Amino acid sequence: MTKLLFVCLGNICRSPSAENIMNHLIKQAGLSDRITCDSAGTASYHVGSPPDRRMAAAAKNQGIELLGAGRQFQRNDFESFDLILAMDRENYRNILALDNAGKYKEKVRLMCDFCQKYDLKEVPDPYYGGPEGFDRVIDLLFDACGGLLEYVISH
Ligand code: 4NP
């Protein structure tokens, strides 16, 4: 079983989208018994909250239902997961700041490292912008999740 954890700041926009898109692709590929997904935020502001309404609407437009409730990333996630996918560089730094001994550095990757079509290095934070930002997150995550699925299958 390969365990994937998607991490953003609030765990109400980008990382729940990544988790649910990835689950969709895993199901489509018939690999639900081999790969599992979860998501978390580096911040605690939205612990227990459902996904952002604007994010859920953008996901629904592309056939994805956003399920889940916010939770904060914690140190024992380093042990519990095989791969930890940070949505942007700030998330990446904040995750690794909890790995004092540098033991888990290889497990932590930037989500956009797995993009196949898009050239962006980060999934932009859509929280304070307009609806097009949320649509862009979904497009970008479909691309990155596709690449990530190929990576997991071949490793
Ligand atoms: P996320 O988006 O990190 O993709 O879940 C955000 C959610 C909440 C806030 C910022 C970004 N916030 O400042 O509350």
Side-chain angles (χ1 to χ4, degrees):
M1 182 68 86
T2 302
K3 298 175 78 178
L4 307 174
L5 180 66
F6 300 95
V7 180
C8 61
L9 175 63
N11 192 211
I12 55 169
C13 295
R14 293 166 292 174
S15 62
S17 298
E19 176 190 356
N20 286 283
I21 289 170
M22 195 67 190
N23 272 331
H24 172 83
L25 297 182
I26 289 167
K27 212 173 281 179
Q28 221 169 40
L31 295 171
S32 301
D33 57 342
R34 279 192 46 199
I35 311 168
T36 66
C37 302
D38 192 10
S39 65
T42 59
S44 62
Y45 333 121
H46 299 285
V47 169
S49 301
D52 183 281
R53 211 175 278 117
R54 300 162 297 170
M55 192 74 255
K60 195 171 171 209
N61 278 339
Q62 299 202 45
I64 303 293
E65 188 187 1
L66 290 193
L67 306 171
R71 75 162 178 95
Q72 190 173 20
F73 181 83
Q74 49 190 43
R75 275 197 178 84
N76 69 345
D77 288 322
F78 286 122
E79 277 296 334
S80 305
F81 292 90
D82 299 299
L83 210 49
I84 297 167
L85 293 313
M87 297 299 128
D88 64 31
R89 291 188 184 94
E90 184 182 71
N91 307 146
Y92 180 85
R93 278 195 302 274
N94 287 333
I95 294 164
L96 285 181
L98 296 172
D99 176 24
N100 306 317
K103 191 175 162 194
Y104 302 105
K105 196 166 191 293
E106 287 73 49
K107 283 192 179 186
V108 186
R109 302 283 302 268
L110 275 172
M111 187 64 185
C112 283
D113 286 354
F114 297 96
C115 278
Q116 297 177 306
K117 189 171 90 186
Y118 286 97
D119 216 7
L120 284 174
K121 293 293 167 231
E122 305 184 284
V123 183
D125 182 348
Y127 196 70
Y128 292 107
E132 65 290 339
F134 292 88
D135 293 336
R136 183 161 186 74
V137 165
I138 299 297
D139 287 339
L140 197 53
L141 287 175
F142 259 104
D143 185 29
C145 284
L148 178 60
L149 184 62
E150 286 193 11
Y151 174 82
V152 171
I153 289 170
S154 64
H155 280 75

